[in-house]
């Protein structure tokens, strides 16, 4: 409390010491001294004796050693933050030019460049910023330490650049195939049903249109012309996706946090687009229009309500040609056991601000649900996006590639990122909230009823939360997983007095090896990059039976699997709508 009130840094003494360390400006230290003296004088001698007796009795030998090491580390770090003594002679000095016009060190590293503290301690060096020359000066007695610090600062600036890059968003047209291609115009359809579903799920009606193939039936000459143009458009699409993936993955090596790659399925909708000069766009005009930087669209992933979701699961259980059980002990697809995840968007009452809490649950043999793990992520921007999507799980999307089919289906390859909350900044209230989250299944109703979350409110504000039930199946002949997810979103209404819930279903495809490769990014120290290659072969290995040549990867095979799932989802939509 004294430190918070005065702004001074107060270091508690070791059990064997009688001194308290104070750091700060002269007024801050003086104010802290006065408050400590006041606290001492207002305390009775007996009360002090009883308090200190408890403190002395608490630490064990092991804890005391930990405290001593921590005390030494903090004192050493505090010395490295200060200017070196004038008598110190450094035979080696390193310099790193900082792009101050793009990023000021105070804004991205802290007022004293405290974000570089791990680099200071790891390389035993002083790191000082020279504002006059816009460069960092690294002072050390070892050339090896200087080189190590310079390399880590270079990686740090790469991470900062990665976090500020403009996201890559592409809209590509999947060319219509013969004999389906009988029309050569594109019309924008307004769907009242779609608008209702979006309002029900996200609480905001957004005007969207869906592109569909329309117009008069074309002649054989035009169809032949399009058939010749088709292969070049296919090759161009694959080239664009490959190039975008490689560029973004190269930058992702420097990102410290959660990274996910997923393929999603749904309907493509547009909010901002160029209106046709006539009634409809021609097919080639539409292809040019979606490449315009001002075009804004979104893949609507909602596959339907509870009834349609149950029908989709039944359809998956019947499709033995496309899917097979992920559990080797299962007798059939119908024996697939779901996974359970809950995500909260919370507002803390300290400097951390808005955070996301993800919890993973498994069903035990007793029928109860056990929390296996939980993780905290920082939400940089908690405002509801322009499109009205209040999805608690959303993160930043460095890559968003959308493939549009003009017969009512679309798919997307997306890379999303989330900032991990520093474990040292996770408060007792946050952990207390996480420990009190329970997943329970009601004893009333059908035995197939999905479990729901139960939690206790404390001083953390709960904005919204999402319950996920995921059914996972392997795609035949590969390691890719089709994940069908039931999402139950809870949010407060406009008056924040009533909780509203909505159910939707989504489908996605991914490789579990992606999460394994990118999982190490969460634990990276500042100044360190991921130890993996950004080549496509890292994430899309050659399929079984294909020679693993250096110039070959399995990306084309991945696209074929995605298109197969897209057809499966579209056929299901056509049958139930």
């Amino acid at each position: 409390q004294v430190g918070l009130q005065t702004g001074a840094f107060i270091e508690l003494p070791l059990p064997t010491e009688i001194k308290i360390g104070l750091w700060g400006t002269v007024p801050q230290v003086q104010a802290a001294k006065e408050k400590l003296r006041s606290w001492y004088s207002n305390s009775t001698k007996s009360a002090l004796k009883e308090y200190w007796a408890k403190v002395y009795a608490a630490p064990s030998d092991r804890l005391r050693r930990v405290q001593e090491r921590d005390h030494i580390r903090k004192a050493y770090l505090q010395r490295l933050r200060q200017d070196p003594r004038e008598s110190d002679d450094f035979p080696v000095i390193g310099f790193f030019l900082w792009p101050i016009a793009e990023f000021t060190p105070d804004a991205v590293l802290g007022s004293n460049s405290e974000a570089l503290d791990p680099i200071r301690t790891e390389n035993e060096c002083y790191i000082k910023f020279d504002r006059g020359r816009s460069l960092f000066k690294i002072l050390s007695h070892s050339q090896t330490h200087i080189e190590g610090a310079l390399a880590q600062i270079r990686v740090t600036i790469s991470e900062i650049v990665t976090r500020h890059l403009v996201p890559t968003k592409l809209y590509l047209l999947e060319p219509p195939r013969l004999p389906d291609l009988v029309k050569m115009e594109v019309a924008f359809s307004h769907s009242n049903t779609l608008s209702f579903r979006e309002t029900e799920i996200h609480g905001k009606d957004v005007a969207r249109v869906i592109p569909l193939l329309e117009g008069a039936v074309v002649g054989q000459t035009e169809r032949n012309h399009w058939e010749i143009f088709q292969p070049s458009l296919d090759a161009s699409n694959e080239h664009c996706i490959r190039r975008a993936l490689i560029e973004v993955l190269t930058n992702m090596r420097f990102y410290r946090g959660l990274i996910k790659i997923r393929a999603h399925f749904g309907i493509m909708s547009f909010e901002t687009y160029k209106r046709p000069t006539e009634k409809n766009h021609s097919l080639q005009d539409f292809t040019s229009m979606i490449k315009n930087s001002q075009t804004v669209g979104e893949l609507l992933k909602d596959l339907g309500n509870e009834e349609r979701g149950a029908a989709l699961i039944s359809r998956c259980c019947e499709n033995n040609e496309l899917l097979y059980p992920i559990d080797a002990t299962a007798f059939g697809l119908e024996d697939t056991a779901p996974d359970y995840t809950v995500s909260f968007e919370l507002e803390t009452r300290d400097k951390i601000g808005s955070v996301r809490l993800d919890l993973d649950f498994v069903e035990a043999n007793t029928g109860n649900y056990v929390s296996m793990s939980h993780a905290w992520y920082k939400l940089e921007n908690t405002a509801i996006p322009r499109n009205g999507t209040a999805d608690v799980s959303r993160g930043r999307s460095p890559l968003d590639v959308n493939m549009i089919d003009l017969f009512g289906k679309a798919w997307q390859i997306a890379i999303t990122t989330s900032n991990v909350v520093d474990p040292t900044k996770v408060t007792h209230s946050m952990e207390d909230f996480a420990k009190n989250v329970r997943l329970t299944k009601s004893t009333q109703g059908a035995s197939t009823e999905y479990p729901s979350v139960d939690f206790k409110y404390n001083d953390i504000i709960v904005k919204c939360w999402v319950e996920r039930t995921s059914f996972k199946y392997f795609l035949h002949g590969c390691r890719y997983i089709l994940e069908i997810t039931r999402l139950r979103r809870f949010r407060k209404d406009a008056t924040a007095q009533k909780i509203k819930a909505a159910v939707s279903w989504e489908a996605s495809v991914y490789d579990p090896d992606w999460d394994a490769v990118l999982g190490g990014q969460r634990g990276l120290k500042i100044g360190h990059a991921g130890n993996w290659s950004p080549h496509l072969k890292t994430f899309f290995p050659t399929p079984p039976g294909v020679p693993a040549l250096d110039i070959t990867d399995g990306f084309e095979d991945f696209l074929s699997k995605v298109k197969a799932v897209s057809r499966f989802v579209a056929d299901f939509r056509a049958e139930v709508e």
Side-chain angles (χ1 to χ4, degrees), residues 439-544:
L439 200 63
T440 59
K441 183 180 289 187
S442 174
T443 57
Q444 302 176 355
S447 59
T448 57
E449 185 177 4
Y450 297 102
S452 58
V453 69
D454 182 29
F455 58 91
K456 294 180 181 180
Y457 286 91
N458 55 13
D459 59 343
I460 293 180
I461 300 173
V462 180
K463 291 184 175 181
C464 53
W465 68 95
V466 179
E467 300 170 355
R468 289 184 185 78
T469 305
S470 300
F471 298 85
K472 300 178 181 180
Y473 313 91
F474 272 131
L475 296 177
H476 264 298
C478 62
R479 287 267 302 166
Y480 298 118
I481 291 176
L482 170 62
E483 182 175 10
I484 307 295
T485 304
R486 173 187 182 267
L487 300 98
R488 193 181 182 203
R489 293 179 171 90
F490 295 83
R491 62 175 179 83
K492 295 180 180 179
D493 62 9
T495 63
Q497 299 295 320
K498 189 177 181 181
I499 302 294
K500 290 187 176 181
V503 173
S504 62
W505 290 76
E506 296 179 1
S508 62
V509 166
Y510 70 98
D511 187 333
D513 289 342
W514 297 347
D515 294 346
V517 172
L518 298 173
Q521 300 295 123
R522 293 178 52 182
L524 284 179
K525 296 180 181 179
I526 189 167
H528 293 264
N531 187 24
W532 46 269
S533 169
H535 298 303
L536 291 186
K537 193 172 183 179
T538 303
F539 299 90
F540 307 99
T542 53

Side-chain angles (χ1 to χ4, degrees), residues 348-361:
T348 63
R349 299 184 185 275
D350 48 33
K351 294 181 180 180
I352 298 179
S354 297
V355 296
R356 187 182 88 227
L357 169 64
D358 290 351
L359 303 102
D360 297 321
F361 291 87

Side-chain angles (χ1 to χ4, degrees), residues 185-189 210-215 279-281:
E185 295 181 359
V186 179
F188 291 112
S189 171
I210 302 171
L212 295 172
L213 205 61
E214 283 291 345
K279 181 180 178 181
N280 297 326
H281 280 291

Side-chain angles (χ1 to χ4, degrees), residues 19 23 48 170 172 202 241 288 352 359 420 467 485 550:
K19 293 181 180 181
W23 282 275
L48 282 172
L170 300 176
L172 303 173
H202 302 307
I241 301 174
S288 300
I352 298 179
L359 303 102
V420 178
E467 300 170 355
T485 304
D550 292 338

Side-chain angles (χ1 to χ4, degrees), residues 220-240:
Q220 188 63 42
T221 302
E222 291 178 289
R223 294 174 68 182
N224 291 342
H225 174 75
W226 180 258
E227 189 175 11
I228 296 173
F229 177 66
Q230 223 173 53
S232 63
L233 186 56
D234 283 330
S236 176
N237 286 342
E238 183 174 340
H239 174 74
C240 286

Side-chain angles (χ1 to χ4, degrees), residues 147-342:
E147 293 173 351
L150 286 172
Q152 291 178 16
I153 294 176
R154 188 178 299 111
V155 171
T156 300
I157 189 63
S158 298
E159 180 192 359
I160 294 171
V161 170
T162 296
R163 290 179 179 274
H164 289 82
L165 286 174
V166 176
T168 299
K169 190 157 189 174
L170 300 176
Y171 305 102
L172 303 173
L173 174 65
E174 186 169 358
R177 310 287 173 180
L178 296 175
D180 297 328
L181 180 62
V182 294
K183 302 175 182 179
M184 293 287 286
E185 295 181 359
V186 179
F188 291 112
S189 171
H190 297 264
S191 173
N192 294 330
T193 304
L194 178 65
S195 176
F196 169 76
R197 286 293 301 160
E198 287 297 299
T199 304
E200 180 185 355
I201 294 172
H202 302 307
K204 184 177 180 180
D205 193 359
V206 180
R208 294 191 176 100
V209 295
I210 302 171
L212 295 172
L213 205 61
E214 283 291 345
V217 176
V218 299
Q220 188 63 42
T221 302
E222 291 178 289
R223 294 174 68 182
N224 291 342
H225 174 75
W226 180 258
E227 189 175 11
I228 296 173
F229 177 66
Q230 223 173 53
S232 63
L233 186 56
D234 283 330
S236 176
N237 286 342
E238 183 174 340
H239 174 74
C240 286
I241 301 174
R242 283 177 174 271
R243 184 179 60 186
L245 271 169
I246 292 173
E247 288 179 355
V248 175
L249 286 171
T250 300
N251 293 323
M252 287 297 100
R253 288 183 58 247
F254 305 105
Y255 185 87
R256 294 182 304 119
L258 177 68
I259 305 174
K260 284 191 174 183
I261 306 176
R262 293 293 187 271
H264 301 282
F265 305 88
I267 299 175
M268 195 64 214
S269 68
F270 289 97
E271 303 167 38
T272 305
Y273 56 95
K274 180 182 177 181
R275 296 182 180 276
T277 54
E278 299 181 2
K279 181 180 178 181
N280 297 326
H281 280 291
S282 69
L283 206 54
Q284 291 188 343
D285 286 345
F286 176 78
T287 304
S288 300
M289 186 273 292
I290 59 178
K291 294 180 180 179
N292 191 302
S293 60
Q294 296 182 342
T295 301
V296 178
E298 182 186 3
L299 181 75
L300 303 179
K301 305 169 189 174
D302 176 29
L303 300 180
N305 55 20
E306 196 77 273
E307 182 180 355
R308 290 184 179 179
L312 178 59
I313 295 299
S314 297
R315 195 64 48 83
C316 288
C317 294
E318 299 168 357
N319 197 336
N320 290 291
E321 294 182 1
L322 180 66
L323 310 172
Y324 71 96
I326 200 168
D327 184 358
T329 62
F331 290 102
L333 292 168
E334 64 278 2
D335 296 327
T336 299
D339 294 336
Y340 303 96
T341 306
V342 181

